[in-house]
Amino acid sequence: MQKTAYVYVPTPSKTNLEVGLARGLWGWRSPTLDRAESRQAVRSLNEGDLLVLGHRGPNSRVAPGGWNAAVLQRVIISEITRPLFTAEDEVWTDDDYPERIGMDVLEDVSPSEGLTLGSGAMEALRLSANKQGAAVLEPGVVEVTRFVESLPPVTSGSDTGSISHDGETSTATTVLRRREQAKMRRARFGNATRLTCAICGRVLPTRFVRAAHIKRRSAASQVERLMLANIIPACLMGCDELFEHGHIYVDRTGTIKASPKAEETADLAAVAARLAGQPVSGLTEDQEPFFSWHRRHIAQQV
């Protein structure tokens, strides 16, 4: 069963929070995990489990249940990408926090009026606050799913941001990724009803065009994922898949090239060849570092 770990982050730790989010890491001092008997809980977290960070709540020195109606100023939901490990390299400036996990931020919510989670989640965060930020574990992701259901829908093109899931946990992470995609589409393309594919140049209804990461999302930092320069409109008529798998790439001049990967079959080579030589539509200078990464790591071209 997928698990959820809750960690409270107090106001003085705001800088550490931002650093951790940018680096895709969360960490603890070793005595925090030992003193709070939290090490076993953190060790049980696996890739794909969730980590929820609650920031800026009220006084935690209250009786159990005292946070049921409490308001948080910020909630971050992340997926664990690397289970507990130890490292000494400098990430945070005030301490080493050598006990670490890797995380991928899926939702970062901070409305002006504040927000609250379900009673179980809020109690877990209250306990974490009283344990110097140790993780408090809850089985399942029911409360996270309910929280996501309560968020305003994100609409952009054909993405509704609505919740649709089978069973308790099967699509909680999928829905959060869908919301991120919708946000990026709206930020990058606005409310356009037609988009020009950056690769083939065809003008298509938005439902046929994807907001594609140039540098793969899995390899990009949290900052890079949210950079509009890392997004291009790539159509579902074949361009998105050809680029995603490195059958075509963009050279330093902004021109599309076919890679040796396209020679897997004669028909694939022919499709890539028809696109080769065309300039990328809407190219900007700040996209070159991302295209450079794609050339080296996906198309395997220097």
Side-chain angles (χ1 to χ4, degrees):
M1 174 185 286
Q2 193 176 20
K3 300 180 288 295
T4 305
Y6 293 90
V7 171
Y8 180 71
V9 184
T11 300
S13 298
K14 183 178 186 301
T15 298
N16 283 352
L17 174 62
E18 298 299 343
V19 171
L21 296 180
R23 293 288 297 272
L25 290 171
W26 195 250
W28 296 269
R29 298 182 178 97
S30 297
T32 298
L33 297 189
D34 293 332
R35 182 173 57 248
E37 299 180 350
S38 177
R39 184 177 300 280
Q40 183 176 354
V42 176
R43 275 182 175 164
S44 74
L45 294 172
N46 300 310
E47 184 176 337
D49 287 336
L50 298 182
L51 173 68
V52 176
L53 304 174
H55 183 46
R56 293 182 60 197
N59 179 13
S60 61
R61 299 296 180 180
V62 294
W67 266 26
N68 285 0
V71 172
L72 300 166
Q73 297 305 308
R74 188 176 182 185
V75 170
I76 297 125
I77 303 172
S78 64
E79 181 183 17
I80 293 172
T81 58
R82 184 179 179 184
L84 184 66
F85 66 99
T86 302
E88 300 289 343
D89 58 302
E90 182 176 312
V91 175
W92 299 273
T93 58
D94 65 327
D95 209 326
D96 292 335
Y97 303 104
E99 312 269 5
R100 302 173 184 177
I101 58 174
M103 63 180 184
D104 176 10
V105 175
L106 302 174
E107 188 74 32
D108 188 343
V109 191
S110 54
S112 57
E113 66 274 16
L115 45 83
T116 189
L117 297 167
S119 59
M122 293 303 295
E123 177 62 13
L125 288 167
R126 185 192 71 83
L127 290 171
S128 174
N130 289 331
K131 295 179 178 181
Q132 294 77 48
V136 176
L137 198 63
E138 292 286 331
V141 295
V142 173
E143 296 222 29
V144 175
T145 301
R146 288 174 181 165
F147 173 69
V148 175
E149 287 177 333
S150 72
L151 297 174
V154 180
T155 58
S156 180
S158 60
D159 294 300
T160 65
S162 61
I163 300 291
S164 175
H165 67 277
D166 298 319
E168 175 193 0
T169 67
S170 61
T171 62
T173 301
T174 301
V175 168
L176 288 166
R177 292 196 189 282
R178 192 182 306 147
R179 286 179 59 85
E180 181 188 80
Q181 169 76 193
K183 289 178 183 178
M184 293 303 297
R185 284 180 65 91
R186 186 172 63 181
R188 183 72 169 82
F189 308 134
N191 295 317
T193 58
R194 297 180 180 181
L195 292 171
T196 300
C197 175
I199 295 171
C200 67
R202 286 177 287 198
V203 179
L204 298 165
T206 54
R207 66 181 179 276
F208 291 108
V209 182
R210 179 167 293 161
H213 282 90
I214 304 170
K215 181 175 182 179
R216 284 186 176 174
R217 188 186 185 283
S218 59
S221 68
Q222 176 66 10
V223 172
E224 290 172 330
R225 287 175 197 153
L226 300 178
M227 292 176 66
L228 298 186
N230 192 24
I231 300 293
I232 58 170
C235 77
L236 302 180
M237 316 300 281
C239 293
D240 180 62
E241 287 295 309
L242 289 168
F243 184 80
E244 170 71 14
H245 297 289
H247 300 302
I248 58 174
Y249 65 95
V250 178
D251 71 8
R252 292 177 179 83
T253 70
T255 303
I256 297 167
K257 300 287 187 180
S259 81
K261 286 187 173 185
E263 297 172 6
E264 185 175 346
T265 71
D267 287 338
L268 183 59
V271 171
R274 282 197 290 271
L275 294 169
Q278 296 192 59
V280 173
S281 174
L283 183 70
T284 59
E285 290 184 5
D286 53 355
Q287 291 179 311
E288 168 53 24
F290 298 114
F291 282 123
S292 176
W293 181 91
H294 179 271
R295 283 195 299 272
R296 296 194 310 272
H297 296 278
I298 307 302
Q300 298 176 352
Q301 300 295 301
V302 293

